[in-house]
């Protein structure tokens, strides 16, 4: 029988300079993440153009989000197994 792993989520966030954030995770880790590569498209345009808006990042259900509704999936940001499986499917590899 396969055991399920608990999903890794973000407990706390601290905005830093240059679109970086320090995150504190449910497994006790602390990481600094560069969000710039993930802030693409029209949804994130205002956040990229206004550092004050970027600094309004908050946590909602273990996910990075902003008061205006934008969010970033923690599985993608943190490189968990789920993110790797999704990337394998996107790149055409079998799971």
């Amino acid at each position: 029988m396969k055991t399920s792993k608990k999903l890794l989520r973000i407990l706390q966030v601290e905005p830093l300079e240059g679109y970086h954030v320090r995150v504190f995770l449910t497994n006790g880790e602390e990481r600094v993440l560069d969000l710039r590569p993930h802030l693409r498209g029209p949804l994130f345009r205002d956040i990229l153009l206004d550092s004050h808006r970027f600094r309004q990042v908050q946590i909602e259900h273990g996910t990075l989000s902003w008061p205006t509704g934008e969010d970033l999936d923690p599985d993608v940001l943190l490189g968990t197994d789920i993110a790797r499986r999704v990337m394998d499917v996107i790149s055409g590899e079998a799971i």
Side-chain angles (χ1 to χ4, degrees):
M1 179 180 211
K2 191 174 183 179
T3 59
S4 63
K5 285 184 162 180
K6 188 169 181 150
L7 294 176
L8 188 58
R9 293 294 175 251
I10 302 168
L11 294 173
Q12 190 176 1
V13 63
E14 174 188 343
L16 304 172
E17 296 299 319
Y19 302 101
H20 288 78
V21 293
R22 182 182 328 276
V23 294
F24 300 87
L25 309 175
T26 53
N27 67 354
E29 285 183 53
E30 175 184 328
R31 297 186 193 176
V32 173
L33 305 174
D34 179 8
L35 299 185
R36 177 81 180 179
H38 303 283
L39 300 174
R40 295 181 297 205
L43 182 66
F44 293 104
R45 183 177 184 275
D46 291 339
I47 291 171
L48 281 172
L49 294 175
D50 183 352
S51 63
H52 175 72
R53 293 228 12 223
F54 173 77
R55 296 185 70 74
Q56 292 177 331
V57 65
Q58 58 194 14
I59 304 301
E60 188 174 334
H61 305 292
T63 299
L64 293 183
S65 66
W66 285 265
T68 48
E70 302 88 342
D71 64 11
L72 292 170
D73 186 312
D75 296 316
V76 173
L77 292 175
L78 302 172
T80 62
D81 290 340
I82 292 172
R84 285 190 285 277
R85 285 196 300 261
V86 168
M87 294 311 293
D88 287 347
V89 170
I90 291 170
S91 66
E93 296 178 24
I95 297 179

